[in-house]
Amino acid sequence: YELLNQDECDLFELMSVFSPTGLASLEEVADDAIGARFILDSLASLVDKSLIRRDESGTSQTFSMLLMIKEYTAERLSENPDREQRIRESHAKHFSEFALGLRDALRGPERGRALEQLDTEIGNLRTAWRYWVDRGNLEQLFNLIEGLWALHEAKGWYHAAIELATDTLDVLGNAEPSPGLAAEELTLRTSLARALMAVRGYNADVEEAFKRALALTTEADSTAQRFPVLRALASYYIGTSQPGQALEIGKQLLELGEEEQDSSILVEGNYVVGSALLFVDVENCLTHLDRAIELHDPHVHASNRFRLGPNTGVVARVASGLQLWMCGGLDRSVTRLDEALDLARELDHPFSIAFALYHNGFLAISRGRFEECTGFARELASVADENDYMLWGILATVLEGVATTASGDVDEGLRMTETAVELYRGVATPPVFWPFILSLRAAVHAMAGKPERALELIDEAIGIVSTDDLAPPDFLIFRGEFLTMLPEPDIETADRTFVTAAEAAARFGFHLSELKARTRLVSLRRSAGLSPDGSEELATVYAAFTEGPEEHDVVEADLLLREDA
């Protein structure tokens, strides 16, 4: 250090505030902070002396310091507080302007390239962010936040996105009130609540944040303000199993999208309406989900301000696939779930990958493909661990517990499932998952030879989701099966339960559920010597199936009917 000339010393100290960066940023900050317009000779000399590292990738190069050297240089710079302040502020201004300059690109087809540029400078952007937070400078924070939020969302860094929102809201709390700031606060608070629900689950704080947003929604006087708030509220209502409220929000989104002729809003509106109608109104559900998939451009419609959660193209395909499965569109269902996972991987979006893996694992259980389920569960566990997604990690263990039990290792499968359920109870989770967790847990207990406990669990699940005395047909089918497994089988109640399940499935248009219920009814009545055994009704339902001839439920029905012939 003592052997450096003055120009080299100046640049050496300047580098201490930088994370790896390119020549253009170094030159601009050097010019602004210390008046060093031409730094190439000094930079080359410092590289030759191994005080600065040069890394080349393709046609670009970045410059950085080893940590030990950087710490030494920072100490030298701190000996001149005025100079240090000037350099740090110049650095923070430069990277605020850098992020601001990419804002338009983030909202269009160049989004991918803009995210790459932000990722390259992430260390410098975080340094600039902390500088402006410490100084309470809202203007500069707003210059930075959209780019940082977009990058954190794309990378699945939801915990860090929560910190961004919290920092900004803390600074906002000390600012003079204004309509513009109030609108930004509303948007940030709803986005924060959505992030909290995605990462930490559902709790009273999240509920309060969403309720406050709902009360303030009418104050949002522009599309840019209303859209993220409405979309976040839709996530809340879907996650808390309130389809009626979600449907109303979805209709508002569709109206807003039509008014603005905004395809991004129409994608979200169609998805929300379709999800709200899931398992309720088959035809309209699939119509809206298909429209969302048709309109969705994954490289454009990921650019909404302060969005979080799985990509809408992914969740629309998952929802459509689940609805198709229930309705008997078995081949199309599998294709849709495959497409969802392929899209999530193409986008390299961790939260979307987790979402798609879980639902592919769930479908694999429904198909009786337990080895496939284990593969999905283990990949999901890896994604959850890498990104600190506690809920997805717990759900991965539930899936693997079911698959392990079904594969013959009953004790280990039961242990895994019960461990996961206890963890699930210990975190604030979205209520929408709980009935399905209970049904999977019940199945594990049944496979483990504990039908009494299985019956208790499925009755609890039915009690949660039943409406107007109607229970989900598949839960009723589980209940009927467990009744036949009791030490003293309750044949009469099981018979009535299968009949109720079949009738409910027919009413909903769930052709696969009706097929399953009638297959079990025929099997039960034949084993009990009851007549009529229901073969004619089963044959009518079976004849309507044009997809999935190799799926185990279809095969089972076919075998029963062949016996009858």
Side-chain angles (χ1 to χ4, degrees), residues 11-24:
L11 182 58
F12 190 53
E13 291 177 359
L14 180 91
M15 275 293 298
S16 69
V17 305
F18 278 89
S19 296
T21 194
L23 177 61

Side-chain angles (χ1 to χ4, degrees), residues 103 226 358 382 408 413 459:
R103 181 178 294 177
R226 290 176 61 203
Y358 167 73
S382 177
D459 282 344

Side-chain angles (χ1 to χ4, degrees), residues 186 189-190 192-194 196 203-214 233:
L186 173 60
R189 287 197 182 280
T190 51
L192 174 60
R194 192 174 179 191
L196 288 168
N203 58 33
D205 290 339
V206 172
E207 181 178 12
E208 182 57 34
F210 277 119
K211 285 183 176 179
R212 180 177 177 183
L214 181 61
L233 286 170

Side-chain angles (χ1 to χ4, degrees), residues 58 119-120 144 198 340 422 470 498 507:
D119 193 24
T120 299
L144 280 163
E422 286 308 307
L470 285 176
F498 287 137
R507 176 174 173 178

Side-chain angles (χ1 to χ4, degrees), residues 38-299:
F38 304 107
I39 63 170
L40 279 176
D41 289 345
S42 298
L43 188 60
S45 176
L46 292 171
V47 169
D48 289 342
K49 294 178 172 67
S50 298
L51 294 175
I52 289 179
R53 303 172 68 186
R54 178 173 56 201
D55 297 305
E56 297 190 23
S57 176
T59 59
S60 64
Q61 57 183 356
T62 58
F63 299 90
S64 62
M65 283 179 163
L66 292 172
L67 180 59
M68 184 183 299
I69 295 175
K70 186 174 182 177
E71 289 174 347
Y72 172 83
T73 312
E75 289 179 10
R76 302 285 74 76
L77 181 60
S78 67
E79 293 169 359
N80 188 336
D82 291 341
R83 181 183 178 86
E84 180 182 21
Q85 166 65 20
R86 191 165 63 251
I87 288 174
R88 292 193 179 280
E89 179 153 326
S90 179
H91 174 276
K93 283 182 179 177
H94 171 76
F95 284 101
S96 295
E97 292 168 1
F98 171 80
L100 181 62
L102 292 171
R103 181 178 294 177
D104 289 342
L106 287 169
R107 299 173 180 174
E110 294 299 316
R111 178 180 174 82
R113 175 60 181 155
L115 288 172
E116 289 178 8
Q117 291 177 265
L118 289 165
D119 193 24
T120 299
E121 298 287 1
I122 184 60
N124 292 300
L125 292 166
R126 286 174 173 163
T127 299
W129 177 266
R130 183 49 47 195
Y131 181 87
W132 297 123
V133 168
D134 290 343
R135 282 150 186 78
N137 192 317
L138 268 178
E139 180 182 357
Q140 295 289 3
L141 290 178
F142 283 135
N143 287 343
L144 280 163
I145 192 170
E146 191 162 340
L148 280 172
W149 189 282
L151 180 63
H152 284 64
E153 201 282 328
K155 294 288 187 179
W157 300 336
Y158 284 13
H159 293 276
I162 289 169
E163 292 177 11
L164 291 175
T166 302
D167 284 345
T168 309
L169 289 169
D170 286 344
V171 177
L172 263 170
N174 296 318
E176 287 294 323
S178 73
L181 290 183
E184 289 293 347
E185 181 180 3
L186 173 60
T187 303
L188 280 167
R189 287 197 182 280
T190 51
S191 297
L192 174 60
R194 192 174 179 191
L196 288 168
M197 190 164 72
V199 173
R200 301 177 188 171
Y202 171 81
N203 58 33
D205 290 339
V206 172
E207 181 178 12
E208 182 57 34
F210 277 119
K211 285 183 176 179
R212 180 177 177 183
L214 181 61
L216 295 174
T217 300
T218 55
E219 298 180 15
D221 58 5
S222 72
T223 299
Q225 294 167 7
R226 290 176 61 203
F227 174 47
V229 174
L230 290 172
R231 185 61 185 89
L233 286 170
S235 294
Y236 167 71
Y237 287 130
I238 292 170
T240 54
S241 298
Q242 300 183 67
Q245 290 88 333
L247 183 59
E248 289 305 312
I249 294 292
K251 290 178 179 177
Q252 290 183 52
L253 285 169
L254 287 178
E255 290 175 3
L256 187 62
E258 292 290 351
E259 289 172 8
E260 300 293 328
Q261 287 297 292
D262 188 321
S263 63
S264 181
I265 300 176
L266 289 172
V267 166
E268 300 293 340
N270 277 289
Y271 163 69
V272 171
V273 171
S275 293
L277 296 174
L278 197 64
F279 310 143
V280 176
D281 183 342
V282 171
E283 185 176 350
N284 284 319
C285 167
L286 290 174
T287 296
H288 282 286
L289 291 175
D290 286 345
R291 183 59 175 156
I293 293 168
E294 177 189 347
L295 289 172
H296 182 259
D297 181 336
H299 303 292

